[in-house]
Amino acid sequence: MNNLLLKNIARFIVLVLLQIFIFNKILLFGSVNPYVYILFVLLLPLETPKYFLLISAFVLGLSIDYFSNTIGTNIASSVFIAWIRPALIRALSPKLDLSQGLSIGIQDFGFKWMLLYTSILVTIHHFTLFFLEVFRFNELLDTLKRAGLSTVFTILIIIISQYLFYKPKK
Amino acid sequence: MRYLIAFLWKHSFFFLFVFLECIAFLLMINSQNYQGTVIINSTNQFTGTLNTIYTNITDYFSLRKSNQQLLEENTKLHNLILTYQNDSIPIMHDTTYEYIGARVISNSVHHRNNYIRLNKGSNDGVEIDMGVVSDKGIVGIVIGVSKNFSTVMSLLHKDSKVSAKIKKNNQLANIVWEKIDYQRGKLDHIPTHLLLLQGDTIITSGNSLIFPEGINIGFVEHYFQNEGENLNSASILFATDFNALHHVYIIKNKQKKEIQELINEVENE
């Protein structure tokens, strides 16, 4: 259990640093910016207490906001997907047995499940994030385009990262 | 009461969610008047120091480009000195403005509202509402200052409005940033009788106390004639390359206090 906690804290720090110093500096096609940091919320253990999901998402969003001069937008969107997560997992695998000690990832759940899970949460997160930042509806089309493109890139990076850290089962 | 507590407890997950979202929205609303942003970020030594370490490393990768820029600027200044010497006109000492050189330690161009952080603060004489320019053109306005750092509202911001004029005929217009494209802005409120051509230069008007007159903002790319409206617009290419900012100058207006007092006096009467 302690090991799991340390692993998640390490993941938190690494993802925040990667986001601030690498992904926030990447500019694909002028304005596309992947927000890979939410991988932390996606990968929190299944047994995580619900309130802890929300609080850790809050702290995560706060850290990103703190460093990237955006106030509140990353908190709101991260907390939002943390709230959706338990319901989504229940919907995707209704017969899930917690006692099996499964962890979220391609090796336990398979590629299809993981792609669907990532796509839904990343899409919701990015669209809330981009709309909260713009706060204006007369720029609807432009925002939709940017949010859509960024979503695709984030999903791509997350799925690739799954294969990079793939550990074959013993 | 017991039922209320039981009800709250049963739905605690939902209420915690609502509570956290409320905090986020409060923060967002407070930062809409961009002062809120300043309080949280610019006064912070920790993020400033972390960003300084980062730029200390990444600056090495852009040394060639920085050198090139400095060389170009030096050449320009040398030529300027030559023209003054040849003309043998007594040099006018304009002491209204003073430049403070600064280094960019963090910058963004892809948000709807972009901010730049500089490594100069109140210890170096930086104050809120000072203009920031690069060697090519204007960059933004200082909106927050701490001891060693300052935060600049980039021209690439929802609330940025710079008083500009068209160089060839001195007509006033406004610069706004609408599309998330760090190379382009929009020139608003152009009277219909004016015809702009591609490549016309847009400069600062000098009407605000922030920027001196005649600093480059950008060049006209397309001129749009809106049928049936009084005012036309144009898309412009910014003179400054916002994606490659390394060294900038903060402009201090030494007479600002005096002019401000004068304005206040007139308004009070």
Side-chain angles (χ1 to χ4, degrees), chain A residues 34-167:
Chain A
Y35 290 92
V36 181
Y37 72 92
I38 52 151
L39 182 61
F40 173 77
V41 178
L42 264 58
L43 292 187
L44 277 171
L46 283 167
E47 314 85 65
T48 316
K50 278 173 158 189
Y51 66 89
F52 190 75
L53 266 180
L54 291 179
I55 289 169
S56 56
F58 183 86
V59 177
L60 178 71
L62 188 68
S63 330
I64 299 292
D65 274 339
Y66 199 64
F67 285 105
S68 50
N69 275 318
T70 51
I71 308 298
T73 50
N74 284 297
I75 302 177
S77 41
S78 310
V79 170
F80 189 46
I81 59 159
W83 181 63
I84 292 174
R85 199 190 102 134
L88 180 71
I89 292 176
R90 237 178 297 136
L92 286 177
S93 27
K95 287 175 193 155
L96 189 68
D97 187 6
L98 275 183
S99 59
Q100 281 180 321
L102 296 176
S103 58
I104 292 179
I106 281 185
Q107 56 261 59
D108 283 356
F109 284 86
F111 174 76
K112 232 169 112 183
W113 190 93
M114 198 59 198
L115 183 66
L116 195 62
Y117 172 74
T118 311
S119 310
I120 293 171
L121 288 183
V122 170
T123 309
I124 295 171
H125 173 270
H126 280 41
F127 279 77
T128 13
L129 180 66
F130 279 74
F131 273 100
L132 286 175
E133 193 188 30
V134 174
F135 233 74
R136 272 180 194 173
F137 280 95
N138 57 0
E139 292 167 16
L140 188 75
L141 268 180
D142 195 50
T143 313
L144 279 177
K145 198 183 91 190
R146 289 192 308 127
L149 275 170
S150 295
T151 306
V152 172
F153 276 99
T154 308
I155 294 171
L156 213 67
I157 292 168
I158 288 180
I159 295 294
I160 291 171
S161 79
Q162 280 287 306
Y163 281 105
L164 284 180
F165 298 101
Y166 193 100
K167 271 176 262 150

Side-chain angles (χ1 to χ4, degrees), chain A residues 21 24-25 27 33 35 50-51 54 58 66-67 69 71-72 76 79-80 83 133-134 136 139 146, chain B residues 13-14 16-17 20-21 24 27-28 31 41 44 46-47 50 54 109-112 115 117 158 180:
Chain A
F21 291 125
N24 274 355
K25 313 276 173 185
L27 273 187
N33 183 207
Y35 290 92
K50 278 173 158 189
Y51 66 89
L54 291 179
F58 183 86
Y66 199 64
F67 285 105
N69 275 318
I71 308 298
V79 170
F80 189 46
W83 181 63
E133 193 188 30
V134 174
R136 272 180 194 173
E139 292 167 16
R146 289 192 308 127
Chain B
F13 179 53
F14 177 71
L16 182 63
F17 164 67
L20 293 177
E21 290 288 10
L27 285 172
M28 253 183 276
S31 69
N41 287 295
N44 190 288
F46 175 62
T47 53
L50 206 68
Y54 179 78
V109 295
H110 55 266
H111 290 298
R112 184 63 186 89
Y115 300 90
R117 192 162 308 136
K158 193 159 66 176
I180 313 240

